[in-house]
Structure formats: C-alpha cells, structure tokens
Amino acid sequence: MKKVLILIIIFFNLSYSFSSEWKLSKTRTYKANNLYGYIDGGAELFLELGFKQLTVHYYSNGKSELVMDLYEMESPESALAIYLQKCGRETPIKGINARNSGDKYQIICYKGNYLIVINNSSGNNDYLQDMIFLTNSFIREKKLSDVKVNILNLLPEKNLKKESIVIFRGPYSLSPIYTFGEGDVFQLKGQIFGVSGDYQVNKKNYTLLVIKYPSSFLAYQVFNSLQGKFDKTKRILQKEKSKIIFKDHLNKYAVIELDKEIIRIKINLNNI
C-alpha cells in the first residue's frame, strides 16, 4: 500500500508539472549567420562569447504561448559567460536543476554548454510549473551536468562580491564593465576569456579584471601595446616594464600589471 501511495504521489506531481493542453506549435533554428534575425541588436554579444546554434520552441495553449530559447554555446565557459551577462540580479526559482534566475515572466538558466531561456509573455503565474518542467526536461534529455569553470579561479575569493562576477571575451562583453578604448584593446579576439569581479576592502570598492593568455610572450606583447589604445579620457601617470597607472575622467585610478602570462587590471580606485 505504501509503494502504491508513493507512485500515486509521483504521478500526481508529474501530471501537475506540465499541462497536456500545451502543444509544440513550431520550432525554428538559427545559426551564426542569421542570429541577427532573432536577436535585434544583441547578437554580437552571443557571437563574441561563443555561440553555436539557437533552437526556439513555441508552445501554445489556446491564446497563451511559452517560448523556449535553447542557446548551444561552444563551452560551459561560454554558457556561463552569457548567463552572467543576461541574468541581472539573481532571483533563483526553486525546483530547477540548474543555476537560474527568473520569475513568472521569464526563466533564464545555464547548464553544461547551454543557456536556456523560457518566456511567458502573459505573466500568468499558473504557467510557472510548466516552465520549470520544460527546463528540467531539456536538461534530462541532453544529459547536461554541472561543469567546473576554472577561469573563475583567477579571481581571489577574499572580499569578492560573487554577484558581480562577469566573464568577457572581447569588446562587447567587456563594455558593461569598463571602456578602455575603441576596439579589442586587450586582443582577446573572441577566443581568450577574461573574468572580472567587484571587491570591497575597508569600505572601499574597486573592480579587478584578470586575463590569462596562452603564453607569457603574448601577454607581454598585449601589455606593451596598451598605452596607444587607451581613449583620450585616460591620463597616463606612470609606465613601467610591468605596470601602467592612469587616471580616468571620473578621477578614479587604474593599475594594470603584467605577471608572466597574466594581465591584472584594477579599476575604480580612489587612490593608489
């Protein structure tokens, strides 16, 4: 009797999770060359961070619709990078088997090398369980699992505000953090990842950016090309063999240091 009761509870939960009234009405696929047709003005960010393919599922229920965007990215680093750029202040929803943020209007999450976004334009709270079910079903179907993203280890944990972490791979993903100059100043070329985070020490805040290059020689070349690439709002105060100090238009200081294959940048400093 106990086993029967457990099976009934499981069946009830599964039945409640996704209504049979939802029907898959259409599916569309986008490659890199036509992503602009779906994302107006935002495709550059996805392409820079490592976009491979987007599949969009449209589920209809009478006049209501759920739209499920499945972004396949090049790697877990790429998927996490776009998630961190898009999730805003995280408000996790219970029951989703992935790092996520959302509400009754939209759920965004990442797992493995996928970014999953489900939009519910009606905002009907009754559909939230259906959105959760769709997300978990895709994760199970693809057998996605959590993968450690080692680039995060470049940021020291002490005093780090974890909600501030951003992964970048070029000027589009770097621009929300800081503008150093026009173009790809650090020569990331959409191939080399960097990571940034905000820190608070003695009630003083600053932002740290860390880029690890494939070789110390490349890092050296990039470092020595920086001075000529800063925009006119940056006033160089000091240039050494492995350090550059400048002051920006907000009278904040920045320190850029070369350490073998790593370039570290501290910005928004009140003093040095």
Side-chain angles (χ1 to χ4, degrees), residues 24-225:
L24 180 61
S25 57
K26 58 183 175 181
T27 298
R28 290 180 178 172
T29 302
Y30 298 86
K31 301 289 187 178
N33 61 351
N34 65 347
L35 183 61
Y36 293 92
Y38 187 72
I39 306 176
D40 185 14
E44 295 90 351
L45 180 64
F46 282 85
L47 296 173
E48 180 177 276
L49 289 174
F51 171 83
K52 290 184 69 176
Q53 178 175 289
L54 166 64
T55 303
V56 184
H57 294 317
Y58 296 84
Y59 293 89
S60 59
N61 179 356
K63 294 182 179 180
S64 299
E65 185 177 61
L66 296 178
V67 182
M68 186 177 190
D69 297 342
L70 305 168
Y71 293 91
E72 182 182 2
M73 305 298 287
E74 290 177 1
S75 65
E77 287 82 2
S78 296
L80 178 57
I82 196 67
Y83 172 80
L84 293 173
Q85 292 270 351
K86 293 292 184 180
C87 71
R89 181 177 177 274
E90 283 185 291
T91 54
I93 294 177
K94 292 182 180 181
I96 296 178
N97 300 323
R99 183 173 176 178
N100 75 89
S101 182
D103 54 27
K104 60 185 179 181
Y105 290 98
Q106 183 185 75
I107 293 174
I108 179 170
C109 69
Y110 106 95
K111 190 92 167 183
N113 63 322
Y114 275 88
L115 178 81
I116 305 165
V117 182
I118 300 185
N119 291 294
N120 171 24
S121 59
S122 71
N124 189 331
N125 195 59
D126 293 339
Y127 301 155
L128 184 58
Q129 287 298 321
D130 298 322
M131 297 164 72
I132 294 171
F133 182 87
L134 282 173
T135 303
N136 288 335
S137 294
F138 178 77
I139 291 170
R140 285 196 302 270
E141 177 190 342
K142 288 291 184 178
K143 298 180 180 179
L144 301 178
S145 59
D146 292 320
V147 179
K148 187 176 181 180
V149 177
N150 292 325
I151 191 173
L152 300 180
N153 296 334
L154 293 175
L155 290 175
E157 289 191 14
K158 187 177 181 181
N159 302 315
L160 172 63
K161 299 179 180 179
K162 292 188 177 180
E163 69 278 6
S164 70
I165 295 174
V166 175
I167 298 173
F168 55 92
R169 201 165 77 161
Y172 291 108
S173 47
L174 182 59
S175 60
I177 307 168
Y178 194 79
T179 301
F180 292 89
E182 292 186 7
D184 191 6
V185 172
F186 292 98
Q187 300 181 41
L188 303 176
K189 300 179 180 179
Q191 297 177 348
I192 300 170
F193 284 106
V195 63
S196 78
D198 295 338
Y199 288 79
Q200 184 176 43
V201 181
N202 298 326
K203 296 183 179 180
K204 295 181 179 180
N205 297 307
Y206 68 90
T207 300
L208 173 66
L209 299 86
V210 186
I211 306 167
K212 185 176 182 180
Y213 290 87
S215 68
S216 56
F217 178 70
L218 179 57
Y220 173 81
Q221 285 185 315
V222 173
F223 178 82
N224 282 285
S225 72

